[in-house]
Amino acid sequence: MASHSTVTSGLKCRECGKAYPEAPVHVCEFCFGPLEVSYDYAAAAKTLSRRSIERRPHSMWRYHELLPLQGEPRVGTTTGFTPLVRAKNLGDALGLNQVYVKNDAVCSPTLSFKDRVVSVAHSKAIEFGFKVVACASTGNLANSVAANASAARLECYVFIPADLERGKVLGTSVYGAHVVGILGAYDEVNRLCSEIAGKYGWAFVNINIRPYYSEGSKSFGFEIAEQLDWRLPDHVVVPMAGGSLITKIGKAFKEFTQLGLVRKHPVRIHGSQAAGCSPIVTAIKDGTTVFKPVKKPETIAKSLAIGNPADGFYAMKTIRESHAWAENPTDDEIVWGMKILAQTEGIFGETAAGVTVAGAHRLAKAGKIGKDEVVVISVTGNGLKTQEAIAEAVDKPVVIPPSLREFDEALKQGLTPPDQAPKAAAAGR
Ligand SMILES: Cc1ncc(COP(=O)(O)O)c(C=O)c1O
Ligand SMILES: [Zn+2]
């Protein structure tokens, strides 16, 4: 790994601009605005070029000058640099000619883009001297916080809504984390965690470490630009929960442009949420500047079910300033989105991917994405973790005894699934 130069210069309030020294704090004590990491871009430019980046290891750390660590990453050294897939078949299904899928369903180590934010958060927590990491999560963050805590030998507490998918819960417990299921929606989990963070002094990755943690999402945008051969796309479609990823993709494109790594190009940064929990999309569609929190999210896309998004305001700003739009597909459309992605590209994304693909479909139908424009669809998590959402919507296997005659017979009948052809399933018993 290349040695890491220090180019961060503390924190700055996004609203009033007050500067703070580097510390595990996230809110401005003067105006309560969110704090953000500042960089010395002139210093970063000295070592960052297309050629220098291309020579570095295939991970998110190839952009280390634009990530907020003082030293080397302590965990997640293999995280990121996931495939950008030229998705011609999906494009055919959507009526678009230049579709790409950014595939974080295969991000290391826990198969979602949250590995990007957590590798920064845990490394930063270690730099600050914390021994315990924690988070409030809709599932994917829990998986990554727990896995990376094991690797970093940190103690770990994870707080989740008690009704998450089995794969998300097991995919946290297996790492030996303390998992606490809360009888309530994510916003209630998050509120409780703010109190716990204040009382116990743990590193809550998405509370007191949030300014550093959230910077990790920029690497998703950096990689898109590099993998398009150092060009920006015409459109990206991004799933939104708290609204941080979409905001940071916008920031990544700006930083690369400012540093001269890509040519200035307008990118429309579209957002997508499930109809059953779409506070940001609703505000965009209504043309309002404040969003109305959703009290009781109801959708199969549990990973995106945040009724009161922490970065909702900045997500709206990112969408509006890029002259983009936002969509909120129904649960039926989300299932369709998961299936069409799997059946055209062989990529099994989770419910959030269904939200994004279905959102892109709506955008294409409405003419918001032109037929020949370059669009990147963000697949941010893996479908094996959310099997419940799609279990009833896919064919069951045909079950036969191990005999060629039985197979010939089943094939003649079109390998019809058992619930549609009880005779084929029962044959030969
Ligand atoms: C798979 C997946 N995609 C997208 C998101 C949205 O991220 P953000 O909260 O940064 O908007 C999440 C958040 O949990 C997620 O789990
Ligand atoms: Zn401030």
Side-chain angles (χ1 to χ4, degrees):
M1 164 113 15
S3 79
H4 286 198
S5 46
T6 303
V7 292
T8 61
S9 46
L11 299 169
K12 199 167 134 192
C13 173
R14 279 197 76 146
E15 292 307 318
C16 74
K18 183 177 162 43
Y20 291 80
E22 198 168 82
V25 290
H26 65 117
V27 185
C28 175
E29 59 194 34
F30 288 89
C31 77
F32 300 109
L35 301 183
E36 189 176 38
V37 175
S38 308
Y39 294 88
D40 179 348
Y41 290 111
K46 285 186 192 148
T47 49
L48 265 184
S49 68
R50 291 179 184 181
R51 282 197 44 215
S52 68
I53 292 169
E54 282 166 355
R55 280 199 297 263
R56 294 176 182 175
H58 283 178
S59 78
M60 61 183 277
W61 300 105
R62 62 209 265 111
Y63 316 105
H64 65 79
E65 288 91 338
L66 301 172
L67 296 170
L69 297 189
Q70 298 292 342
E72 299 280 327
R74 309 299 183 95
V75 283
T77 50
T78 61
T79 299
F81 217 71
T82 55
L84 182 75
V85 180
R86 175 78 175 86
K88 178 145 189 352
N89 302 339
L90 178 61
D92 288 347
L94 299 177
L96 299 171
N97 289 329
Q98 295 213 65
V99 174
Y100 292 80
V101 169
K102 177 64 175 163
N103 186 11
D104 264 20
V106 294
C107 199
S108 167
T110 67
L111 310 179
S112 89
F113 90 99
K114 294 289 184 185
D115 291 325
R116 299 173 184 276
V117 285
V118 171
S119 54
V120 175
H122 284 18
S123 297
K124 202 70 206 171
I126 294 169
E127 284 185 3
F128 284 135
F130 285 99
K131 299 279 183 271
V132 182
V133 288
C135 71
S137 172
T138 58
N140 284 307
L141 181 60
N143 297 166
S144 191
V145 164
N148 283 298
S150 297
R153 298 189 185 207
L154 294 163
E155 194 175 354
C156 178
Y157 291 83
V158 160
F159 299 83
I160 50 174
D163 68 348
L164 286 191
E165 300 94 338
R166 286 179 53 174
K168 296 262 169 83
V169 178
L170 182 77
T172 307
S173 315
V174 70
Y175 301 108
H178 305 285
V179 182
V180 185
I182 306 294
L183 301 168
Y186 174 81
D187 293 308
E188 294 165 280
V189 178
N190 193 40
R191 206 171 317 123
L192 170 65
C193 284
S194 295
E195 294 177 52
I196 295 172
K199 180 163 179 182
Y200 289 88
W202 297 336
F204 267 86
V205 300
N206 52 345
I207 302 177
N208 48 344
I209 308 294
R210 192 173 181 86
Y212 308 95
Y213 149 99
S214 57
E215 286 289 291
S217 284
K218 290 191 308 190
S219 63
F220 193 91
F222 295 149
E223 289 174 18
I224 290 173
E226 179 180 351
Q227 290 169 322
L228 283 174
D229 240 342
W230 303 103
R231 279 180 308 141
L232 295 179
D234 299 311
H235 303 265
V236 278
V237 188
V238 186
M240 302 184 292
S244 177
L245 174 64
I246 191 169
T247 307
K248 296 293 177 173
I249 289 175
K251 185 176 179 188
F253 292 161
K254 274 194 190 143
E255 287 183 339
F256 261 25
T257 308
Q258 181 184 336
L259 287 161
L261 292 166
V262 292
R263 239 191 312 158
K264 193 169 160 65
H265 181 78
V267 188
R268 287 174 204 252
I269 305 174
H270 307 279
S272 195
Q273 295 189 294
C277 184
S278 56
I280 304 172
V281 180
T282 304
I284 291 287
K285 289 190 169 182
D286 290 350
T288 57
T289 48
V290 281
F291 60 83
K292 229 171 77 205
V294 172
K295 289 246 162 63
K296 256 182 96 55
E298 271 177 50
T299 170
I300 56 168
K302 292 174 191 268
S303 60
L304 303 182
I306 295 185
N308 191 8
D311 288 300
F313 172 78
Y314 297 105
M316 286 196 287
K317 200 158 173 256
T318 301
I319 293 167
R320 289 207 171 102
E321 285 180 0
S322 74
H323 306 287
W325 194 239
E327 277 302 344
N328 48 354
T330 63
D331 281 3
D332 283 348
E333 289 174 87
I334 294 167
V335 169
W336 174 85
M338 292 172 77
K339 284 177 76 172
I340 201 83
L341 176 65
Q343 295 176 8
T344 56
E345 297 298 335
I347 294 172
F348 188 13
E350 71 143 82
T351 46
V355 170
T356 312
V357 172
H361 187 221
R362 282 192 180 190
L363 292 164
K365 275 197 303 192
K368 303 266 185 200
I369 299 174
K371 211 166 162 2
D372 293 312
E373 292 175 322
V374 175
V375 52
V376 176
I377 293 176
S378 311
V379 169
T380 51
N382 193 298
L384 288 170
K385 297 190 198 181
T386 61
Q387 295 180 37
E388 295 92 327
I390 198 157
E392 297 308 317
V394 298
D395 289 346
K396 303 275 184 299
V398 177
V399 179
I400 56 167
S403 117
L404 182 59
R405 195 178 52 78
E406 293 288 351
F407 175 72
D408 293 342
E409 186 55 31
L411 188 63
K412 233 185 276 167
Q413 294 185 25
L415 294 179
T416 316
D419 51 346
Q420 287 162 40
K423 264 196 347 216
R429 293 273 156 80

